[in-house]
Amino acid sequence: MISLAIDGALFNYRVAGVAIVDGKVLLHKTPADKFWSLPGGRASLFEFSKDTLIREMQEETGMDVEVGEMLWVSENFFVYNDIKHHELGFYYKMDIQDLKDQSDFIGVEGDGELLFKWHSVIEISQIKVYPEFLASELTQNPLRVKQFASGFIDLDKA
């Protein structure tokens, strides 16, 4: 996975998917996190970003997805688990093949769990979602293609 420790900090190359069905967007978080994010994960070396999203969704949820157009590129600086992060994120439209329902479910992240939940797009501002630009961008109809950059935020204190 493309995650490099540099001078006590961490660089991550992350790919995430935006699945909106019936006015709800799929988000996930670890049980310990105080915020939600879009599902996805770190790219592997020599892996196309769309392939990263397909692989991560299969590994974490067992779901097959179709990756659509790129929506956003995001550069984020944040502190998470007391470590400074520099994250480059690619965000794509994503369709989940053969979606049965929109019930909450548990996925896997290595040896841990991920909580998956469908959140109402119109109520997204009522929860903590990261990166912060998602709270406003997910409410746009149609979704807009943009680039974002954010300075440091401490997710451990969010």
Side-chain angles (χ1 to χ4, degrees), residues 8 10 30-36 77-85 128-130 132 151-158:
L10 199 60
T30 70
D33 285 340
K34 299 174 187 169
F35 62 91
W36 294 88
F77 306 140
F78 57 92
V79 176
Y80 180 64
N81 292 333
D82 294 322
I83 299 171
K84 285 185 176 180
H85 286 68
K128 289 185 181 181
V129 62
Y130 191 78
E132 293 174 326
F152 271 103
I153 184 168
D154 191 337
L155 297 179
D156 296 330
K157 297 178 182 172

Side-chain angles (χ1 to χ4, degrees), residues 136-156:
S136 63
E137 289 304 309
L138 288 169
T139 64
Q140 301 300 312
N141 190 7
L143 296 173
R144 306 176 292 188
V145 176
K146 292 180 86 173
Q147 186 271 335
F148 296 91
S150 66
F152 271 103
I153 184 168
D154 191 337
L155 297 179
D156 296 330

Side-chain angles (χ1 to χ4, degrees), residues 28-63:
H28 76 347
K29 71 183 206 77
T30 70
D33 285 340
K34 299 174 187 169
F35 62 91
W36 294 88
S37 61
L38 290 167
R42 294 180 186 136
S44 291
L45 196 60
F46 306 115
E47 179 178 55
F48 288 108
S49 56
K50 286 186 174 189
D51 294 336
T52 297
L53 186 53
I54 291 168
R55 176 184 52 76
E56 285 287 337
M57 288 300 293
Q58 184 55 231
E59 289 174 0
E60 293 177 357
T61 69
M63 295 177 171

